[in-house]
Every structure is written in structure tokens, then in C-alpha cells.
């Protein structure tokens, strides 16, 4: 059981380039999330999704886009990379509330993508 | 807007000591309070999740408490070990399991 897998692990981009951070989970979780973590700071939510075809903005969505065509995958796209987007990006997933889950379930995190924009 | 604060920012203790990490939040209308561990270069690992209706949760040497009225949670680590060295993050969930608001974390170092 791989859990949440993020690729690539490291990437260096030039200003203005675009790229897609990949995230896939094999736990059949409905909920998926993208966070960024800047040095010495907590995680901030970029986008989240409660199921295939449904996405919504988090606290810091500007400069990013997401899509959710399948339950397993939740890619994050940077269209015009800027130095302010240098960060560590984490993808996470969790089961839905209700159904077989009578109580809240914790989020499961990938190991992150370390992105530098120069 | 929910704000989560963790004190202290860093803590260094000798092996075997019992310790407490503190987390405070400004909006008491939380859904749950979660504690995570983060090792260098790694993602977050869930340690304990306290439902809003609960007062505490325990897992092995870890005990987390929740006092919504005062906006506080504590993580108690008994008999600390060098392997406990990591950054500990707390996060408050407002309205549902998503939209977690994270603190900046406490960097714990346990010295042998």
C-alpha cells in the first residue's frame, strides 16, 4: 500500500516556466488537498477536492490550478512560476466523513515536492 | 479567521524526560484538533486526532488533550527518546475535516 505518492521530489524552475506537480493516492480517499510549507511556517492550504470533478480554493490559491478527473489523482499546476512560489508542496488525502467512518479520519500526507524558482 | 499558535518554537530535553507541547487556537468552533509529526525532508505523519466532543486521546507514550473553552490543546510525551526528535505540528479543523489551519510547529530535540 503506497499511500500518497508525489512526483517529482525536487525541481528547479526558471521564472515564467510552467509545471505540474503530480499526486496520486491508492487508498480510495474522496478528499484530497494541496498545501505549501515555507521555511519556519505551518502548512497553508492551496486547493482541495471532495471528489472527482469537484475542487475548491483554499487559503492561498493565486498562481495555481488544479483538476480532479479521477479519485486517485489530484495534480497541481503552476502556469507562470514566480520566486514567491519557491516552497515545499505537500499533497494529502483523507476518507470522507460519514458512511463507514463514524468519526473524523486524519489526513495522510505524501513526502512533498521541493520546488525552487530562480 | 482561525489562528493556531504553538509554544515553544523549539525545545531541547535530555532523554527520559516527560514533556508538554502547547497549541492554542482562536476560534473554539472546531471540528477536531490534530497533532502531526514531521521528520526532516519528509511529509507529516498523523499522531492523534481529538474530536470536538472529546477531551483527550492516547497512543502509547503520547497523550493529547483538548479544552475548547480555553482554546488550548497539549501534547504530552512520556519518557522521551532520541527517536522522538522531530517537528510537531498541531492543526485545527473548522467546519469539517478539510481546511485544517496549522501552527508553525515545535522543533523537539531529545538528547541521549
Amino acid at each position: 500500500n503506497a499511500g500518497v505518492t508525489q512526483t517529482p521530489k525536487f525541481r528547479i524552475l526558471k521564472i515564467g516556466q510552467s509545471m505540474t506537480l503530480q499526486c496520486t493516492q491508492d487508498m480510495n480517499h474522496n478528499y484530497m488537498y494541496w498545501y505549501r510549507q515555507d521555511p519556519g511556517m505551518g502548512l497553508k492550504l492551496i486547493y482541495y477536492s471532495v471528489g472527482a470533478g469537484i475542487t475548491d480554493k483554499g487559503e492561498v490559491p493565486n498562481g495555481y490550478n488544479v483538476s480532479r478527473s479521477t479519485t486517485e489523482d489530484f495534480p497541481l499546476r503552476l502556469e507562470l512560476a514566480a520566486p514567491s512560489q519557491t516552497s515545499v508542496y505537500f499533497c494529502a488525502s483523507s476518507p470522507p466523513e460519514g458512511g463507514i467512518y463514524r468519526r473524523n479520519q486524519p489526513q495522510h500526507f505524501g513526502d512533498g515536492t521541493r520546488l525552487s524558482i530562480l | 479567521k482561525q489562528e493556531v499558535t504553538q509554544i515553544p518554537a523549539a525545545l531541547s530535553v535530555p532523554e527520559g524526560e516527560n514533556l508538554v507541547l502547547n497549541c492554542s487556537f482562536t476560534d473554539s468552533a472546531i471540528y477536531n484538533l490534530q497533532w502531526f509529526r514531521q521528520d526532516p525532508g519528509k511529509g507529516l505523519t498523523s499522531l492523534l486526532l481529538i474530536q470536538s466532543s472529546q477531551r483527550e486521546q492516547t497512543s502509547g507514550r503520547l497523550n493529547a488533550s483538548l479544552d475548547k473553552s480555553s482554546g488550548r490543546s497539549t501534547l504530552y510525551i512520556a519518557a522521551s527518546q532520541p527517536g522522538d526528535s522531530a517537528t510537531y505540528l498541531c492543526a485545527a479543523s473548522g467546519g469539517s475535516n478539510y481546511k485544517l489551519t496549522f501552527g508553525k510547529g515545535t522543533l523537539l530535540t531529545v538528547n541521549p
Side-chain angles (χ1 to χ4, degrees):
Chain A
N1 193 344
V4 179
T5 302
Q6 293 184 238
T7 56
K9 295 188 184 302
F10 305 92
R11 184 73 183 268
I12 298 175
L13 284 182
K14 294 182 179 179
I15 295 172
Q17 287 185 320
S18 62
M19 78 163 294
T20 299
L21 282 65
Q22 301 292 344
C23 175
T24 187
Q25 52 91 10
D26 61 359
M27 298 173 283
N28 201 32
H29 287 171
N30 284 37
Y31 294 175
M32 295 188 75
Y33 321 81
W34 274 107
Y35 296 92
R36 61 175 288 172
Q37 184 179 34
D38 299 320
M41 304 294 288
L43 279 71
K44 293 189 182 299
L45 183 64
I46 304 172
Y47 271 95
Y48 65 97
S49 169
V50 299
I54 306 170
T55 62
D56 207 348
K57 297 177 180 179
E59 185 180 357
V60 290
N62 291 344
Y64 307 95
N65 281 298
V66 294
S67 60
R68 184 91 183 273
S69 58
T70 66
T71 299
E72 295 79 18
D73 301 308
F74 190 39
L76 176 72
R77 182 153 181 89
L78 284 69
E79 291 292 350
L80 290 171
S84 62
Q85 294 177 306
T86 293
S87 190
V88 181
Y89 291 84
F90 289 102
C91 179
S93 72
S94 65
E97 297 145 14
I100 64 172
Y101 296 104
R102 295 181 181 178
R103 293 180 175 273
N104 303 156
Q105 298 297 310
Q107 296 184 13
H108 298 251
F109 282 77
D111 283 343
T113 293
R114 283 145 188 82
L115 180 63
S116 294
I117 299 166
L118 306 175
Chain B
K1 178 184 175 183
Q2 178 74 275
E3 294 184 2
V4 177
T5 303
Q6 292 188 245
I7 295 174
L11 180 64
S12 181
V13 300
E15 181 177 4
E17 191 164 297
N18 302 325
L19 58 99
V20 174
L21 306 181
N22 297 292
C23 173
S24 62
F25 46 94
T26 56
D27 187 351
S28 62
I30 62 170
Y31 206 60
N32 61 58
L33 191 292
Q34 302 185 32
W35 283 93
F36 294 88
R37 169 184 173 139
Q38 185 176 27
D39 293 291
K42 294 292 187 179
L44 281 66
T45 300
S46 176
L47 297 173
L48 291 164
L49 184 154
I50 312 175
Q51 312 282 351
S52 62
S53 58
Q54 297 176 318
R55 297 280 293 180
E56 65 177 354
Q57 279 287 325
T58 298
S59 176
R61 294 183 294 108
L62 305 180
N63 176 276
S65 67
L66 175 64
D67 184 345
K68 285 201 309 178
S69 62
S70 66
R72 294 181 181 179
S73 176
T74 61
L75 179 67
Y76 175 82
I77 302 177
S80 59
Q81 303 170 358
D84 295 330
S85 298
T87 297
Y88 291 80
L89 295 149
C90 73
S93 170
S96 188
N97 192 27
Y98 46 87
K99 294 189 177 180
L100 288 176
T101 301
F102 282 84
K104 295 181 180 180
T106 294
L107 175 60
L108 173 64
T109 302
V110 181
N111 301 300

